[in-house]
Amino acid sequence: QVQLVESGGGLVQPGGSLRLSCAASGIMFSVHAMGWYRQAPGKERELVATITSLGSTNYADSVKGRFTISRDDAKNTVYLQMNSLKPEDTAVYYCNTFRGEIHYWGKGTLVAVSS
């Protein structure tokens, strides 16, 4: 079955950086678009960034210029490099992919930005 496992979250000070990883299995990774979403306390889940199988990327306006999504098809892994982190970036970050109408989610990794 499809499994997405996120890692790399943690506590960081404002202005700091983190790199999230999502290891995928159970899919032909190289042909799948991948995405990162986040959900802050009391808020709905929102799109952060996506990357197509060809490497085209898309970002939420709130993270443009600070976050970079990338993928390593040899490792079946998608990354989210997060720089210049702000307290409002605090959320659980989820990895996502889809096959037809079915979406798959990881369990999430917590990113907390605080001094």
Side-chain angles (χ1 to χ4, degrees), residues 9-84:
L11 175 63
V12 63
Q13 293 186 340
S17 298
L18 282 175
R19 188 176 82 153
L20 306 184
S21 300
C22 170
S25 60
I27 58 172
M28 193 176 296
F29 182 82
S30 63
V31 305
H32 282 263
M34 301 296 298
W36 285 98
Y37 289 71
R38 68 185 181 187
Q39 187 166 18
K43 296 188 176 180
E44 294 188 353
R45 193 172 297 189
E46 63 177 2
L47 172 70
V48 176
T50 60
I51 185 166
T52 70
S53 60
L54 298 180
S56 295
T57 58
N58 182 56
Y59 297 93
D61 287 343
S62 58
V63 306
K64 280 181 182 176
R66 300 188 298 122
F67 290 11
T68 302
I69 188 171
S70 62
R71 62 190 296 155
D72 185 337
D73 290 349
K75 295 182 178 180
N76 287 3
T77 300
V78 61
Y79 304 98
L80 186 68
Q81 178 66 44
M82 305 185 295
N83 299 328
S84 302

